[in-house]
Every structure is written in structure tokens, then in C-alpha cells.
Amino acid sequence: MKKHIKVLGSGCATCKQLETVVREVVAESGVDATVEKVEDIQQIMSYNVLSTPVLVVDEEVRCSGRIPSREEIEEYLH
Amino acid sequence: MGVYIRIMKQREKGLRQRDQAVKWLSLVIATVGLILLYSNLERLAELVVGILGLSRDNHFGEAFYFFIYEVPKVLLLLVGVVFVMGVVHTFVSPEKTRAMLSGKRTGAGNVMAAGLGIVTPFCSCSAVPLFIGFLQAGVPLGVTFSFLIAAPMVNEVALALLFGMFGWKIALTYMIMGLGIAITAGIVIGKLGLEEELEEWVRQLLKNDFAENATEESISWSERFSEGFDHVRSIVGKVWIYIVLGVGVGAGIHGYVPENFMASLMGENAWWSVPAAVLLGVPMYSNAAGILPIVQALLGKGAALGTAMAFMMSVIALSAPEMIILRKVLKPRLIAVFAGVVAAGIVLVGYVFNLVL
């Protein structure tokens, strides 16, 4: 099953960093997944989150307001 | 087989307990070490100056002493305060703060919001989701603003640096004044009834049903501590360079610029200097770490404390980039009211500081 990963964030440094880390983890683990960066504030708000950056896997919010560790991200991918 | 598994489990538990003990112990040792180092910095700095054969009587020697004394002092304090805040953050999430504030009245709600603004983890790039999320949960507009003003202005980095450079009295005064501005501005905005001045799409969103999503996660003390260390790593890792550079510039000013050089420009007698400092602060977007060391140096040269404070508050709390972000959710009139009320508060605080101190 192909995973759909979204990184939600307004484009600040922390959000960009999360996107980079996620892309790296996906590439390293060889999981079949697409990574999308969502910067539109209205779209972000539709996930009912209070703080960015947000990591969404298959439309489920897994983590918000911080950058999770690589191990955590790997766990979210499985 | 079962016995084996049980033994393994017990061993694992034992290892975990030992791990815990090691963590506690290293935390205690680190704390004692930091305190010892902190209380002996003056002597150490003089020692280094002596070893290098410098004298504090000349410009360079004085500037150098200032630098090697101030940088570690401020960094040590910062590490301590930021660590404690990192641990505190594990107790308050934005979700919990929102749940506490929802449906609160003007007045008590504003006071609570400003107070929670200090301890809730907040990054200015989250301002918009937070703003909308609060309103959705029934937090009144004015109370939400109290939170949004206090959170960046009275942050742990600013307080730690003020404490390190000016002493606890000034740090405390700054905190009280900052909270005062946040509370009052929030109440004023709430009383004005500006709900109409939110962007259309936000008002649509507020009509939708809203689902509370506060999840309680149990977390152990060792996890809280490692959050504290993470916080130190990310915050101090980001701001240390500003402190070193800022203190460097400060040291230069300290050693070379003549006494009372700033008195005519930023002194108590120049009444226009407070509003000018606030205006100057708006387009600037810096963190407290970069601006404070310079402010400190200017103070030593005759700038008035209130003027310097007003400048710092304005740089942190009223920034052009933040206005641009907020423009996505607020109509221009509400932005203008927000900026105007906060600016007025800061100017007032500047004058009060200048009069009292």
C-alpha cells in the first residue's frame, strides 16, 4: 500500500526541517510513499491542529508542534 | 522457558531502574556543576585576563574581560532556564491551554491567558492555527489576543537574558509589565467587539462543529527531562551565536564608546525617544538574544532603561512579519487596532520605567 505523507506548515524553518527529515527517512527506509508539503493555511486548519509543523500519514495526524525523531517517523510509516 | 522470560524481564526492569538512577544522578551533578561555575565566573574571568597579561585599565582589556565574563554567564543562565521550561512544556500543551481557556470571561480569562502564554510551548509560525483553534473552541477573541501577545513577549529566553544581564528585579518588572500589556490589550480588543473583523473564511470555519482533541499522554519523568535537554539543544543551539555576537558588539561599546554618549539620544530627558524606539522596533525582527546584549551596553552609556525596554518589547511583540502572517486571518482594521493598542501599552511602559527607575 502506498502511503501518503503530508507535512503541514506555514513555511517557517522548523516546518522545512521536518519536510527534509521526512524525505530522508522515506528514502532510507525504502517505504513506498509520497511526501507532500501543505502550506495553505485553510487546508492546514482542516486537520484541526493548534501548532505546526504537523505530520500527517494517510490523512491521520500523527504529530504536531514539534519535529519527531527519526525513529518516531519510521514508526509512523509502518 | 517461562522462567527464562521472567528472568529476562526482571533483568530488563533492573537495567531500566539503573538507567533512571544514572539520569537523575547526572542531572544533579550537572546542576551543581553549573551553579559552582556560575558563582565563580567573575574570578575565572579575572584569572584569564591575568594569565593573558592584559589589564582592565585599558580599552581592550576591559572589553575582553566584559566578553569572557558575560558570555558564559548568560549562556549558563539560559541553559538552566530553558531546561526548566522544556520540562514545564511537558505539562502544558497548546491543547490543554485551549481547554482551560474555552468559555472564560473577559478579565479572569485574559489574566489566565497571559499567564499561560509564558508556559505554553509556542512558536510564532503557529500563530494562525493557534488563533483559529482557540476561537473554534470558544475562547473569546480578547482572551485569545492576550495569549498571542504574552506568548512571544514574555518568553523564557527574554527573561533568562534579562535576569543574567540586569538582575532579577528588572526581569520581574519586565514580566509584570509584559503581562500587563497583554492583559489590558486583550480586554480592550474584547470590549471593542471586533468579531466582524475576522476574514470571511475564518468566520465560516467558526460556524462548523468543533471536536475537542486534547489527548492525555502519560509520560515519565525521565522523558520529561529528555524533553528539557531537547529544548536546550534546540533553543540554545539557535541563539548562542546571537549572544556571542551581541555581547561582542556590547563589549566593544562597553570598552570604547565614551560614558553618557547615548544620554542625549536615548536618555530620560528626551521625551520623544520612547515612541521613536517603539517605531524603530516594528520593522526589526529579532529574538531577545540578539537585541539584549546591545541594549545592555547602551544602558551603560546613558540610555534610559525604559526607552531600551520599549525598544526590546517592540522588536519582539510587534514585528512586521508577524503582522503579515496575521493578515491572513484578520482584516486590516483589526490588525491596526491590535498594533495600536500594543504599541500604546509599550510606550506607556517605557515612560513608567523611565520615571520610576
Side-chain angles (χ1 to χ4, degrees):
Chain A
M1 249 289 279
K2 199 173 175 73
K3 299 264 182 195
H4 291 280
I5 303 169
K6 286 180 184 168
V7 174
L8 321 182
S10 53
C12 64
T14 341
C15 313
K16 281 181 195 137
Q17 198 186 333
L18 177 62
E19 190 195 1
T20 319
V21 176
V22 167
R23 284 191 192 279
E24 279 171 19
V25 172
V26 168
E28 279 166 25
S29 64
V31 174
D32 188 18
T34 56
V35 180
E36 187 189 342
K37 177 83 192 292
V38 179
E39 293 195 356
D40 180 64
I41 186 69
Q42 300 196 27
Q43 263 188 44
I44 294 176
M45 285 320 294
S46 68
Y47 288 92
N48 190 19
V49 288
L50 275 186
S51 42
T52 54
V54 182
L55 182 61
V56 176
V57 180
D58 288 337
E59 295 307 301
E60 193 189 338
V61 174
R62 300 307 299 262
C63 172
S64 84
R66 64 193 180 91
I67 297 182
S69 68
R70 282 165 181 272
E71 291 75 34
E72 278 178 90
I73 297 175
E74 261 178 55
E75 240 171 75
Y76 298 148
L77 292 180
H78 291 296
Chain B
M1 198 60 192
V3 175
Y4 177 71
I5 290 175
R6 209 161 59 216
I7 292 173
M8 285 306 284
K9 271 197 178 147
Q10 255 167 10
R11 230 185 100 187
E12 218 171 85
K13 200 175 150 204
L15 279 178
R16 231 183 355 234
Q17 275 169 348
R18 210 182 64 186
D19 233 36
Q20 285 278 56
V22 169
K23 266 191 186 154
W24 276 101
L25 197 67
S26 45
L27 191 71
V28 171
I29 294 173
T31 313
V32 174
L34 287 187
I35 292 172
L36 275 179
L37 191 59
Y38 183 77
S39 47
N40 285 305
L41 274 177
E42 221 159 321
R43 239 170 296 165
L44 279 174
E46 269 172 32
L47 201 69
V48 173
V49 170
I51 289 171
L52 290 175
L54 293 167
S55 158
R56 288 186 59 192
D57 295 332
N58 61 41
H59 287 319
F60 181 77
E62 180 59 27
F64 181 77
Y65 170 81
F66 183 83
F67 185 78
I68 57 167
Y69 171 60
E70 286 292 316
V71 169
K73 184 178 81 170
V74 172
L75 283 179
L76 280 177
L77 258 177
L78 191 67
V79 166
V81 173
V82 168
F83 176 77
V84 171
M85 269 327 258
V87 175
V88 169
H89 282 173
T90 63
F91 291 94
V92 246
S93 62
E95 283 79 9
K96 273 191 209 164
T97 296
R98 173 170 72 173
M100 275 187 261
L101 291 176
S102 98
K104 284 281 177 310
R105 282 156 186 266
T106 306
N110 296 84
V111 175
M112 253 179 92
L116 286 166
I118 306 178
V119 289
T120 309
F122 172 80
C123 145
S124 60
C125 41
S126 296
V128 166
L130 201 112
F131 182 82
I132 297 174
F134 272 36
L135 293 180
Q136 273 181 317
V139 180
L141 186 64
V143 175
T144 304
F145 265 107
S146 281
F147 180 88
L148 269 188
I149 295 166
M153 186 152 68
V154 192
N155 67 74
E156 68 261 33
V157 176
L159 289 177
L161 294 183
L162 281 171
F163 182 55
M165 295 178 178
F166 305 111
W168 64 271
K169 276 184 200 155
I170 290 187
L172 189 71
T173 318
Y174 176 87
M175 186 174 100
I176 293 168
M177 296 289 190
L179 288 176
I181 291 176
I183 293 165
T184 319
I187 291 176
V188 169
I189 291 171
K191 289 278 182 216
L192 288 174
L194 292 164
E195 279 77 5
E196 300 280 303
E197 300 297 326
L198 298 170
E199 283 295 337
E200 212 45 54
W201 69 272
V202 179
R203 295 170 62 193
Q204 283 303 322
L205 210 59
L206 295 184
K207 283 183 194 144
N208 297 346
D209 280 336
F210 154 79
E212 187 73 54
N213 63 349
T215 46
E216 192 74 33
E217 276 177 44
S218 68
I219 117 169
S220 70
W221 271 101
S222 79
E223 279 172 304
R224 291 187 201 281
F225 287 145
S226 51
E227 288 290 322
F229 286 120
D230 282 349
H231 199 49
V232 169
R233 210 171 305 141
S234 76
I235 298 286
V236 181
K238 216 168 10 193
V239 305
W240 71 270
I241 183 75
Y242 294 103
I243 294 177
V244 173
L245 290 177
V247 176
V249 173
I253 297 176
H254 189 75
Y256 290 96
V257 177
E259 295 286 328
N260 287 323
F261 177 75
M262 293 306 293
S264 57
L265 275 176
M266 289 177 78
E268 276 168 48
N269 298 325
W271 66 268
W272 46 268
S273 65
V274 176
V278 173
L279 275 183
L280 199 66
V282 176
M284 287 198 180
Y285 188 56
S286 163
N287 42 38
I291 210 84
L292 257 172
I294 298 173
V295 167
Q296 185 200 24
L298 292 179
L299 282 179
K301 302 301 170 191
L305 184 62
T307 311
M309 273 310 151
F311 177 60
M312 183 187 151
M313 283 184 163
S314 167
V315 170
I316 307 179
L318 283 175
S319 69
E322 201 194 336
M323 303 284 166
I324 294 166
I325 295 174
L326 283 176
R327 176 66 191 89
K328 288 179 188 156
V329 284
L330 310 179
K331 289 184 185 164
R333 231 187 83 183
L334 186 45
I335 295 207
V337 170
F338 160 68
V341 171
V342 175
I346 296 176
V347 170
L348 199 67
V349 164
Y351 282 131
V352 169
F353 254 107
N354 279 352
L355 275 180
V356 175
L357 297 160

